[in-house]
């Protein structure tokens, strides 16, 4: 058992301190290091996804027809087969994109240790042993999250669906760092994330709320600026994890590097 996992067990058994001011300050300082490259990367990813799915959907049903249909109707007004296709597509897309979130956390980790990183850093987990666990964990979380939300929307109780969706996202947001930094399996990472968040949920809620308004400031003030404020969430997630389960060495960086070689 490495030092990080010993610290993780201590955090689960004895609890851990999470100082709002310290976490936010460290997150913001680290965010300033990754904001530019992170923002450019997000813009490139969004452009790529729009081009890919716009071309695919446009060729299948016609982009104008689809836009008019979705504007006038909810997805729930379609037949069950279309709802299932939509549901499956959302789950699969989230799972396929899961290593990108891990890549942003690695970028924050590298920045915290003053190591070099680039746009390519975000995509490196597609080539590591962690891809399977990242894919599976996101698949499970999304299938439950989107599934419950869709069912509750269908029965016209969307408020409860939204509350459940936010709760699932909140209690599982440490799943990815637990996989890539503590080497946990998908199931263990999900359950451990919920246990860690429960121990400091008030402080984490406060940090999440502040993070939300900071990110939205980029949308309100600069519109496209949201792409450059969004990396703050990954910096905050890393800082929360690093204070709860301190990463004492850069062994994770070295391990990934050697695996890629």
């Amino acid at each position: 058992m490495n030092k990080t996992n010993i610290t993780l067990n201590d955090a689960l058994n004895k609890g851990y301190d999470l100082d709002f001011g310290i976490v936010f300050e460290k997150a913001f300082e680290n965010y300033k290091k990754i904001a530019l490259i992170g923002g450019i990367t997000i813009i490139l990813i969004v452009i790529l996804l729009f081009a890919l799915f716009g071309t695919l959907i446009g060729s299948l049903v016609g982009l104008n027809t689809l836009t008019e249909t979705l504007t006038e109707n909810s997805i729930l007004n379609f037949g069950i087969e279309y709802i299932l296709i939509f549901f499956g597509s959302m789950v699969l897309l989230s799972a396929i994109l899961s290593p990108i979130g891990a890549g942003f956390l690695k970028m924050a980790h590298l920045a915290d240790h003053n190591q070099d990183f680039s746009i390519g850093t975000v995509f490196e987990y597609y080539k590591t042993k962690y891809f399977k666990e990242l894919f599976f964990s996101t698949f499970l979380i999304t299938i439950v999250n989107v599934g419950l939300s869709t069912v509750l929307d269908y029965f016209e109780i969307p408020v409860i669906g939204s509350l459940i969706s936010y709760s699932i996202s909140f209690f599982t947001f440490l799943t990815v760092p637990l996989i890539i930094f503590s080497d946990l399996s998908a199931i263990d990472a999900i359950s451990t994330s919920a246990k860690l968040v429960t121990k400091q949920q008030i402080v984490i809620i406060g940090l999440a709320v502040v993070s939300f308004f900071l990110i939205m400031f980029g949308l309100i003030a600069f519109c496209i600026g949201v792409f450059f404020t969004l990396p703050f969430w990954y910096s905050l997630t890393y800082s929360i994890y690093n204070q709860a389960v301190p990463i004492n060495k850069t062994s994770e960086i070295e391990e990934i590097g050697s695996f890629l070689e």
Side-chain angles (χ1 to χ4, degrees), residues 94-137:
S94 297
I96 291 174
L97 295 179
S98 60
I100 291 177
F104 276 108
L105 290 176
K106 183 190 173 185
M107 183 183 289
H109 186 41
L110 289 166
D112 188 39
H113 290 83
N114 296 313
Q115 304 239 349
D116 293 334
F117 57 88
S118 65
I119 290 176
T121 302
V122 173
F123 304 98
E124 288 185 2
Y125 280 97
Y126 283 100
K127 300 180 286 185
T128 71
K129 65 179 182 180
Y130 299 107
F131 174 78
K132 181 183 70 172
E133 302 303 333
L134 291 168
F135 182 96
F136 187 48
S137 64

Side-chain angles (χ1 to χ4, degrees), residues 85-206:
I85 291 172
F86 172 78
F87 174 71
S89 299
M90 290 291 293
V91 172
L92 187 59
L93 178 63
S94 297
I96 291 174
L97 295 179
S98 60
I100 291 177
F104 276 108
L105 290 176
K106 183 190 173 185
M107 183 183 289
H109 186 41
L110 289 166
D112 188 39
H113 290 83
N114 296 313
Q115 304 239 349
D116 293 334
F117 57 88
S118 65
I119 290 176
T121 302
V122 173
F123 304 98
E124 288 185 2
Y125 280 97
Y126 283 100
K127 300 180 286 185
T128 71
K129 65 179 182 180
Y130 299 107
F131 174 78
K132 181 183 70 172
E133 302 303 333
L134 291 168
F135 182 96
F136 187 48
S137 64
T138 303
F139 182 88
L140 290 177
I141 293 169
T142 308
I143 201 169
V144 173
N145 203 334
V146 177
L148 287 174
S149 297
T150 303
V151 170
L152 291 171
D153 283 347
Y154 183 80
F155 288 104
E156 299 184 350
I157 42 179
V159 174
I160 296 178
S162 296
L163 288 174
I164 292 176
S165 178
Y166 291 142
S167 297
I168 292 173
S169 299
F170 175 69
F171 284 103
T172 59
F173 87 99
L174 290 178
T175 298
V176 172
L178 284 164
I179 289 174
I180 63 176
F181 296 132
S182 292
D183 203 22
L184 297 188
S185 66
I187 300 296
D188 288 341
I190 292 171
S191 62
T192 302
S193 174
K195 293 174 184 176
L196 286 174
V197 172
T198 299
K199 292 182 180 297
Q200 290 287 353
Q201 54 187 306
I202 302 301
V203 177
I204 296 175
I205 288 174

Side-chain angles (χ1 to χ4, degrees), residues 186-228:
I187 300 296
D188 288 341
I190 292 171
S191 62
T192 302
S193 174
K195 293 174 184 176
L196 286 174
V197 172
T198 299
K199 292 182 180 297
Q200 290 287 353
Q201 54 187 306
I202 302 301
V203 177
I204 296 175
I205 288 174
L207 288 165
V209 170
V210 173
S211 175
F212 171 79
F213 283 111
L214 190 151
I215 292 170
M216 286 299 100
F217 175 77
L219 178 63
I220 297 171
F222 310 109
C223 192
I224 197 174
V226 70
F227 295 117
F228 294 94

Side-chain angles (χ1 to χ4, degrees), residues 226-239:
V226 70
F227 295 117
F228 294 94
T229 54
L230 188 57
F232 180 77
W233 173 250
Y234 297 104
S235 181
L236 179 66
T237 301
Y238 171 77
S239 295

